[in-house]
Amino acid sequence: MLARVADNLYWFGRYVERVEHLSRYLNIQYFSALDTTSDLQREMALNSIVHMVGLDKEAENYDFEEELLVDVAMDEKNHTSIKSCTHYARENARGARDLISIELWNAINKFYRFINDYPEDFYKTQGLYDFTNTTIENCAIIKNRVQSTMLHDEIWAFIRMGLQIERASQICRILITKFNDISKIEDEKVSKSVVSFQLGTLLKSAEGLDMYHREYSILPKKKETLEFMVLNARFPRSIAYNISALQQHLLQISPRKSTEKNSIEWSIGRMSEFLKYHTVEEFSDDPLTFLNDTLKYLNELNNRISQEYLNH
């Protein structure tokens, strides 16, 4: 396979997953802020959205809340907006059009038309819930088409690699953002219920609240939430699960028959085993250092994959 085409497939997977996470985060954080009477929590929710998307300015620098919401979702000049990422996902799919199924291509085009045609004025005033929910549903449909209409060969593996590394990165970003928020509200000497509420929105942002309750049967707590989102090997949105899945897909496309020392496969194998035998007690006292190191590792891993498999 040409490296250029592999690059298209990999980044198609990354952008679809990014759009889904950004949409869900925007939806959950914005509407959860409406449920609180605290100005601090409302301001925190808006800044949390800004940091998650990676915008240049803080929420308080916007004259109107609607401007912030447009920048996050619909601004074509902002390359991290939901609309821009959807455009990039479609362009990458177009670059590998001959290798993907017609069902997948049609699902991507239908989603692209929805995003492109969505009226900005309606979105600003009353359409945010509809826009984000429909976006999340379309991403789920696209990923279902990847799973159910394509051969599970190296073409599929490149898409899955992009999807898996993006999901692990986005979960890392969500955890960093929300644990920063929680650190700020703890400084304000708020009650434990406020912290639990913030942890609940964190878990909802990863569609993990119900499975968390099945696993622990208690209200969200910091240590248990960290353990669930980072180390749980059975939850498909945990970092450990996605690193393990990424390792399997990488081995599927790797030309090497054995895992050589210092190779990408060796590195990701070490990371997978590290998470497998790590305990939450080893990083729960300083989760931000651990999470920032993990995100740095994922960025370096992405660079190595690009250099070795996608450089053209």
Side-chain angles (χ1 to χ4, degrees):
M1 184 194 305
L2 293 173
R4 175 186 57 78
V5 178
D7 186 68
N8 288 141
L9 294 164
Y10 176 79
W11 279 102
F12 163 66
R14 289 205 68 158
Y15 279 120
V16 169
E17 191 67 16
R18 188 173 301 177
V19 166
E20 182 184 335
H21 276 273
L22 293 180
S23 300
R24 186 179 301 106
Y25 196 78
L26 173 60
N27 182 305
I28 298 295
Q29 295 304 316
Y30 182 76
F31 288 107
S32 68
L34 299 181
D35 292 336
T36 175
T37 56
S38 164
D39 289 339
L40 173 66
Q41 288 194 62
R42 185 168 175 77
E43 183 183 326
M44 191 176 290
L46 293 174
N47 270 320
S48 182
I49 292 167
V50 166
H51 294 156
M52 181 67 187
V53 177
L55 297 179
D56 293 332
K57 56 183 181 181
E58 297 291 309
E60 52 267 27
N61 294 328
Y62 284 89
D63 293 331
F64 300 100
E65 188 175 287
E66 291 81 1
E67 292 177 3
L68 184 156
L69 299 176
V70 168
D71 266 8
V72 170
M74 307 201 75
D75 185 4
E76 292 179 71
K77 295 176 183 173
N78 171 21
H79 71 279
T80 61
S81 72
I82 292 170
K83 192 170 190 175
S84 293
C85 289
T86 305
H87 171 74
Y88 298 144
R90 182 172 181 261
E91 287 307 300
N92 277 290
R94 187 202 297 275
R97 173 64 191 92
D98 293 342
L99 299 175
I100 63 176
S101 67
I102 184 67
E103 291 82 7
L104 174 57
W105 178 241
N106 286 342
I108 297 162
N109 273 323
K110 183 180 177 185
F111 177 41
Y112 175 77
R113 293 309 328 164
F114 166 78
I115 293 281
N116 212 44
D117 296 344
Y118 206 87
E120 187 175 307
D121 288 340
F122 181 74
Y123 165 81
K124 284 193 289 190
T125 53
Q126 52 187 309
L128 192 146
Y129 184 82
D130 171 61
F131 178 84
T132 50
N133 266 354
T134 308
T135 297
I136 294 165
E137 288 168 3
N138 273 282
C139 288
I141 290 169
I142 289 170
K143 289 191 285 186
N144 175 270
R145 296 289 188 269
V146 171
Q147 282 300 101
S148 60
T149 67
M150 291 184 63
L151 295 174
H152 287 201
D153 54 9
E154 62 175 9
I155 294 162
W156 170 83
F158 272 111
I159 297 175
R160 295 297 306 180
M161 279 173 54
L163 189 153
Q164 238 80 50
I165 197 169
E166 183 67 28
R167 185 179 295 174
S169 300
Q170 291 295 333
I171 293 298
C172 225
R173 290 178 191 281
I174 289 173
L175 286 166
I176 291 169
T177 303
K178 293 309 295 177
F179 271 84
N180 266 319
D181 289 349
I182 289 167
S183 174
K184 288 177 188 171
I185 59 176
E186 283 180 331
D187 290 342
E188 299 290 324
K189 308 294 182 190
V190 297
S191 68
K192 290 183 179 178
S193 64
V194 176
V195 174
S196 183
F197 176 78
Q198 290 296 329
L199 290 169
T201 63
L202 184 162
L203 289 161
K204 283 181 184 175
S205 299
E207 294 188 320
L209 184 59
D210 291 332
M211 292 304 105
Y212 170 90
H213 284 310
R214 272 192 56 189
E215 198 78 348
Y216 297 99
S217 301
I218 56 172
L219 288 173
K221 293 185 176 179
K222 287 167 64 176
K223 193 169 123 180
E224 286 76 8
T225 301
L226 267 178
E227 184 178 56
F228 184 65
M229 294 303 304
V230 175
L231 301 177
N232 194 301
R234 294 177 296 127
F235 182 53
R237 294 188 184 274
S238 79
I239 294 173
Y241 182 98
N242 283 284
I243 293 284
S244 176
L246 179 60
Q247 181 190 16
Q248 297 306 313
H249 299 316
L250 192 60
L251 290 173
Q252 189 174 348
I253 63 163
S254 173
R256 287 182 281 266
K257 295 187 183 299
S258 60
T259 304
E260 299 167 5
K261 187 177 180 183
N262 294 325
S263 65
I264 300 179
E265 297 80 4
W266 180 82
S267 168
I268 197 169
R270 284 191 75 191
M271 186 61 170
S272 181
E273 291 300 306
F274 170 76
L275 292 173
K276 186 176 178 182
Y277 294 106
H278 216 52
T279 64
V280 69
E281 287 79 11
E282 293 175 83
F283 62 93
S284 57
D285 288 338
D286 185 13
L288 289 174
T289 298
F290 175 84
L291 292 166
N292 278 309
D293 287 346
T294 304
L295 186 59
K296 182 181 175 186
Y297 169 79
L298 290 168
N299 289 335
E300 289 171 352
L301 184 64
N302 173 70
N303 292 338
R304 291 192 67 183
I305 291 172
S306 295
Q307 287 168 6
E308 187 152 336
Y309 290 100
L310 313 176
N311 214 356
H312 54 89

